[in-house]
Amino acid sequence: MDLDPSAILSGAVEAQNLPPSDGRSGKVPDFAFNPLYRNGCLYRPILDEQNPFRPRWPNDAPFAVCLTHDLDVVSEAGIRQSLRKIARVWRSRPPPARAVQCLQTALALRRLLQAVARGPRPDPLWCYERWLDAEADVGARSTFFIFPERVRQPHFSDCHYGYRDRIRFRQRRCRVGDFLRALARDRWEIGVHPSWNATLDAEELRGQKQSVEQAIEQPVVSVRHHWLHFDIRSTPRLQAATGLRFDSTLGFNDNVGFRFGTCRPWQLRDPQTNQPVGVLEIPLIAQDTALLNPMKGLRLDIPTARSYLEQLIEAVRRVAGVFTVSFHPDVIHPTRCPGWFDLYCDLLRELRQRKAWFATVAELGTYWLQHYPSAS
């Protein structure tokens, strides 16, 4: 099969049937639009298999791993978060259908009542140290993609926590901002998780990046867009213009696999000029919700999801690629997502047993640019 990333990109863009420079339709195309899915190659890094080049990783590791987390929710139910959600739903641009506004408002009111009923009791999501401890046990650190506190153009799909909201971390009450700074000090990476409208607005994206940087008091160089909302024709140029260097958005919400036929980093390019824009893509291979969400995606049980992950890991190992996986911190909820966190811990042990090299998105991207600048 004669395929290259630009051909796959072109096919995917045409299949999406989006108007030029739009992407505001409220839809993120799923795997069914992908030409590799139609050719039966979605679970194979077909471009890497055809390429005799094999990168070498630190410590002679057979492949590399990027562990990532999209921090969409910090509490199961919070009064401030619920009020923010109601405000943003009704200020959303472009405005959603009235039925969507009413449904989202009803859900926010339900969470508001839950927060009032809970009172001062600990929230079941305040277990962030368990993620860090599980990763530290295998010698790994991950990248947390953080939603910005300041959003100039709200969208009903936005996250709704603030950096002054209270949570519990390592047996202490603290603000979300304090938690983020602690992560950064301990060398977990903080990236930005931009809102829906920031995908196509340079000013919005720049402000949201600065919002996260001010919170952690460090530069931010990595990005994954919320809901994987991304326009290949314009978003990379906006990322480069705002100083972002590494993207890990290009994966699936409803499936897993190799969206562009590769599990290696590659330079995002301007489709009109075919010139690199200065942003390195580290493609997303699998995320928890695509595997396990009972309402959408593959809807797998835990054993079947484990077998999918093992298949993908083996495919990455064969080509000495990068296995990038995303687990959302809120799936640690003991009743809403039973077994999801245990699956993550099993995954970490499997990757350590296979002697993978663990790196954050920025660490891996920096290593790749230093050692293989011409391969991307």
Side-chain angles (χ1 to χ4, degrees), residues 41-117:
C41 297
L42 193 60
Y43 297 161
R44 291 173 53 196
I46 187 71
L47 298 181
D48 303 333
E49 293 174 356
Q50 296 173 353
N51 190 343
F53 165 71
R54 293 291 183 271
R56 297 190 63 179
W57 301 107
N59 305 318
D60 290 325
F63 64 102
V65 172
C66 272
L67 305 171
T68 68
H69 308 289
D70 300 348
L71 188 62
D72 295 340
V73 180
V74 299
S75 303
E76 181 184 40
I79 294 175
R80 290 181 177 179
Q81 292 178 72
S82 300
L83 293 174
R84 284 191 204 102
K85 180 171 183 177
I86 294 171
R88 287 180 176 174
V89 165
W90 289 90
R91 291 173 50 226
S92 180
R93 293 293 178 270
R98 183 55 59 91
V100 173
Q101 286 181 317
C102 293
L103 175 61
Q104 294 290 327
T105 301
L107 292 173
L109 289 172
R110 179 184 177 186
R111 288 186 177 274
L112 179 63
L113 294 175
Q114 290 174 339
V116 172

Side-chain angles (χ1 to χ4, degrees), residues 49-314:
E49 293 174 356
Q50 296 173 353
N51 190 343
F53 165 71
R54 293 291 183 271
R56 297 190 63 179
W57 301 107
N59 305 318
D60 290 325
F63 64 102
V65 172
C66 272
L67 305 171
T68 68
H69 308 289
D70 300 348
L71 188 62
D72 295 340
V73 180
V74 299
S75 303
E76 181 184 40
I79 294 175
R80 290 181 177 179
Q81 292 178 72
S82 300
L83 293 174
R84 284 191 204 102
K85 180 171 183 177
I86 294 171
R88 287 180 176 174
V89 165
W90 289 90
R91 291 173 50 226
S92 180
R93 293 293 178 270
R98 183 55 59 91
V100 173
Q101 286 181 317
C102 293
L103 175 61
Q104 294 290 327
T105 301
L107 292 173
L109 289 172
R110 179 184 177 186
R111 288 186 177 274
L112 179 63
L113 294 175
Q114 290 174 339
V116 172
R118 171 174 285 115
R121 287 181 295 169
D123 192 283
L125 301 188
W126 293 348
C127 304
Y128 300 105
E129 59 274 9
R130 293 182 63 189
W131 295 95
L132 309 185
D133 293 345
E135 291 166 4
D137 285 346
V138 298
R141 283 180 171 80
S142 59
T143 297
F144 281 75
F145 289 104
I146 307 302
F147 198 82
E149 186 173 46
R150 296 191 297 274
V151 176
R152 184 171 54 89
Q153 299 181 51
H155 188 269
F156 71 89
S157 68
D158 288 349
C159 305
H160 307 290
Y161 58 86
Y163 299 158
R164 290 176 293 277
D165 292 348
R166 294 281 184 175
I167 61 171
R168 181 174 288 275
F169 177 60
R170 297 208 183 282
Q171 312 306 316
R172 294 179 58 188
R173 291 273 293 183
C174 68
R175 298 184 187 274
V176 170
D178 299 326
F179 163 64
L180 299 180
R181 285 186 288 275
L183 286 181
R185 284 195 303 268
D186 291 341
R187 295 189 298 114
W188 269 260
E189 184 191 8
I190 302 296
V192 62
H193 197 43
S195 69
W196 184 277
N197 286 325
T199 296
L200 297 167
D201 187 316
E203 182 180 353
E204 184 76 57
L205 182 59
R206 182 178 294 107
Q208 294 185 10
K209 174 178 177 285
Q210 292 172 349
S211 175
V212 178
E213 289 176 329
Q214 291 169 5
I216 65 172
E217 301 172 350
Q218 292 185 20
V220 168
V221 295
S222 301
V223 56
R224 174 178 294 144
H225 289 260
H226 189 42
W227 281 105
L228 308 187
H229 186 217
F230 195 95
D231 190 327
I232 198 68
R233 297 157 295 194
S234 58
T235 304
R237 286 187 283 102
L238 302 185
Q239 293 174 338
T242 57
L244 292 163
R245 298 178 59 205
F246 309 111
D247 178 79
S248 188
T249 303
L250 297 181
F252 294 116
N253 286 311
D254 298 315
N255 206 329
V256 295
F258 305 95
R259 180 174 175 180
F260 293 97
T262 180
C263 56
R264 296 176 187 159
W266 48 286
Q267 289 281 357
L268 293 173
R269 295 174 177 266
D270 186 320
Q272 293 182 341
T273 65
N274 200 35
Q275 294 300 308
V277 298
V279 177
L280 189 73
E281 179 64 31
I282 301 173
L284 175 62
I285 308 303
Q287 66 168 319
D288 51 359
T289 50
L291 290 164
L292 296 164
N293 190 330
M295 304 299 293
K296 64 187 289 289
L298 298 173
R299 299 173 173 86
L300 306 179
D301 57 25
I302 295 292
T304 308
R306 183 179 291 109
S307 68
Y308 269 62
L309 290 171
E310 291 172 353
Q311 175 184 341
L312 294 171
I313 292 169
E314 179 58 23

